[in-house]
Amino acid sequence: DKSVTLNISGQTGFGGYVIEATVVEADEAEFERFVAGKGDHVERFDLEKIKMPLIARRRRPGDRFVPLGRTSEKKLGKFLTAQRVPHQVREEVIVVADAERIIWVCPVRISEQAKVTSETHRVLQLRIADL
């Protein structure tokens, strides 16, 4: 059950992947460009809502998070089933968590608690790519 601490503003290797973290100032034009070109393995988070350190790991029994668009916590396993995520993908999801909670279940969904809003000033972008 390995986990790695992510280098913020840098790259971190994890299980055959590279996780690249970049911090940028929130900018409306930049955000529009991001939304247009976003893929399954790139997400942005409100840096001020995140408690460092960030870690990447595989899912664990009992994991819970607040999926984007919801107001309450949900068991990760039940969420993946409800989203009809194939079994093979469920075994390979990468969980990114801060010191208190899961903020991203890659490539499925981010947490409502870390989403970028119009109030966001600093954005953390995470990109996960194959080695």
Side-chain angles (χ1 to χ4, degrees):
D1 193 22
K2 288 183 158 186
S3 64
V4 296
T5 301
L6 300 184
N7 295 317
I8 302 305
S9 292
Q11 295 184 342
T12 308
F14 175 74
Y17 297 94
V18 171
I19 303 172
E20 180 182 7
T22 310
V23 176
V24 295
E25 296 300 315
D27 174 321
E28 195 170 319
E30 171 70 21
F31 183 73
E32 295 300 322
R33 210 173 64 203
F34 159 74
V35 170
K38 189 177 110 25
D40 288 343
H41 293 85
V42 177
E43 281 294 352
R44 284 193 171 178
F45 306 91
D46 185 328
L47 189 61
E48 294 165 15
K49 295 177 183 174
I50 296 171
K51 307 269 188 293
M52 295 299 168
L54 281 185
I55 62 160
R57 61 176 175 80
R58 296 295 179 186
R59 61 186 269 231
R60 298 176 183 154
D63 273 346
R64 302 174 75 86
F65 87 121
V66 180
L68 185 65
R70 294 186 52 109
T71 57
S72 60
E73 232 179 27
K74 191 161 178 88
K75 283 188 174 180
L76 182 52
K78 289 187 183 285
F79 171 75
L80 294 172
T81 300
Q83 294 299 304
R84 296 192 170 116
V85 175
H87 184 71
Q88 180 181 349
V89 175
R90 287 181 209 187
E91 296 303 313
E92 295 298 316
V93 296
I94 297 172
V95 171
V96 177
D98 71 4
E100 297 177 349
R101 61 186 176 252
I102 292 172
I103 65 166
W104 187 17
V105 179
C106 178
V108 185
R109 182 89 45 99
I110 69 167
S111 169
E112 176 72 23
Q113 297 168 313
K115 73 179 181 181
V116 173
T117 67
S118 60
E119 303 297 313
T120 300
H121 298 290
R122 294 180 68 208
V123 175
L124 171 66
Q125 176 178 287
L126 296 178
R127 178 187 314 271
I128 299 180
D130 293 336
L131 278 175

